[in-house]
Amino acid sequence: MNAVTTSRKLHDCRDAFVSVLERLGEENTKVVAVCNDSVGSSKLGGFKTKYPERLVNVGIAEQNLVGVGAGLANGGLLPFVCGASPFLTGRALEQIKADIAYSNANVKLIGISSGMAYGELGPTHHSIEDFAWTRVLPNLPVVAPCDSIETAAAVEWAASYDGPVFLRLSRVGVPDLLPAGHTFELGKANLLRDGDAVTLIANGTLTHRMMTAAEILAERGIEARVLNMATVRPIDVEAVVAAARDTGAILTAEEHSTYGGLGSAIAEVVVAQAPVPMKILGVPGIFAPTGSAEFLLDEFGMSPAAVADAAVELIARKPVRA
Amino acid sequence: MQTNDLEGIARQIRHRDLQAVVEAGAGHIGGEMSAIDILTALYFRVLRVWPDQPRIPQRDRFVLSKGHVALALYVTLAKRGFIPEEEVSTFLKPHSRLNGHPNCNKVPGVETNTGPLGHGLPVAVGMAKAAKLTGADYHTYVMTGDGEMQEGSNWEAISAAAQFGLDNLTLIIDHNRFQQGASLKDTNNLAPFKPKLEAFGWDVTEINGNTMAEIVPALERRGGKPHCIVAHTNKGHGISFMQDTVDWHHKVPNQDQYKIALGELSEAN
């Protein structure tokens, strides 16, 4: 608790993913990697070298990618289906719905380069709709780890979980926040810092920005609670209700549209169970302009300083207690 | 089981299917009638399946990609002992596990959920690829409609199957020449299928898909490539007034038509 960023060294979470995947591949011959020509961007080169026959590359064909994944699971294998998140989720959404979620196929969908990791490539390559598209599907946990430690833990968990999973990864470097040896628990937020003035909730590449924002707020004498909420579905209702009750205001930030993502999932709990002022930061329902992910996050008010300012404005909206 | 016996079972399945469509007031009777001979040959002769152990790993796989003819599959599964025969009368009823499209988590013998078209073949490619990777000797069959082949996902899968050398995969195209709204020819005419599949590296067999003597050897054929059976069938096969017309994709016979249809199916006995 009140952990400061344990390391400022930035890590590409894909490295943690493939490191665990390669180890799982050694321990369990049922582990297969499936990709849509994305051997490089999914960093599957090492897996391919070690287990060439277990790298199933369907070519540039995402609908087939996901369908083949479902069939491999039916045949008793443990497929990790990898692809750039905008194409994996957008192109193959109906396959994810029917073949994976509705069929309850034991397939791990790994959305690589999610959010605005491909910032400069433009909105076709941004994946800022994928929480919204996937979190409405029954049977499908949706998870966006915040650092390499949580990524490794989530991959480990996904392999042991009997059912479909959507794991949303980035390629944008993030510092490690969670302690070494961290165990991933589905649907459980991590309290990274405690405070009573406001709760900052994020996942993926935004969690470390929230931690820095909390440090800025602390310098101003405002103590913020920070929750890392990797699991977007099922949302951690208990942590959200406790945040509302204990701090009276909730600010969320995500590398996603403000429509339908983490903030929306939290708001669904807040309005029903614990109404308090809320602010949802993200891409405000537009196609984003050109720029790196870091630039765009700043552009849309998610620099740590801007988050801190938004938190101050939000706190001012809290009803005055009698 | 011999051809004569299979033909008898197919007639019984047609009979029950027709009855269930009228009882439920819905169904896709035209495509059910076209597919029933092949379903019968699969479940009563070709597939190595064990109704009391529907998930046993070594079972052959069958995927009904044209999931809208679920009723024909349910009647076949019931007759083969996967589900109770009397359960067919619950088709489409509230909370029945017999949806309008098959659900693998509810109905034993169903391998994957289908309904939206163009899904079954990619999943079947994954099943066949899994057998290659694990050394399992099961065979994977998948049935699509001819109109369904307009879905691009099928061609992604066809290409991958050849690339992966899936000689343990058989695709059956139920080529009844009609889709929901019009004939295949007047819509987006993919026929002839044979040269297209061959160009993708498949072996192709063309058969009369309502003739048991042609169906069985085609299903049992094994070669060095993925195998496509272009099954020339009649939509509404067995019921004269349903044949060669687009009208009977999902129409329900009225009482007079039902009597005529029952009579024709009984005559065939």
Side-chain angles (χ1 to χ4, degrees), chain A residues 64 74 94 99 102-103, chain B residues 61 99 111 113 119 133 156:
Chain A
N64 194 41
N74 175 287
E94 191 183 72
D99 309 353
Y102 181 39
S103 295
Chain B
R61 268 60 168 181
N99 280 354
E111 295 287 351
N113 295 350
H119 283 245
L133 289 170
E156 295 182 2

Side-chain angles (χ1 to χ4, degrees), chain B residues 10-23 29 33 236-242 248 253-269:
Chain B
R11 279 193 292 275
Q12 290 167 9
I13 291 174
R14 278 203 170 80
H15 198 282
R16 185 67 188 94
D17 187 281
L18 167 70
Q19 195 184 5
V21 167
V22 171
E23 281 169 8
I29 194 161
M33 294 298 150
H237 187 80
I239 303 169
S240 58
F241 61 83
M242 290 187 189
W248 288 93
N254 63 29
Q255 278 305 314
D256 290 342
Q257 290 165 329
Y258 180 45
K259 278 181 200 155
I260 295 167
L262 272 183
E264 290 183 3
L265 292 178
S266 301
E267 269 171 35
N269 280 313

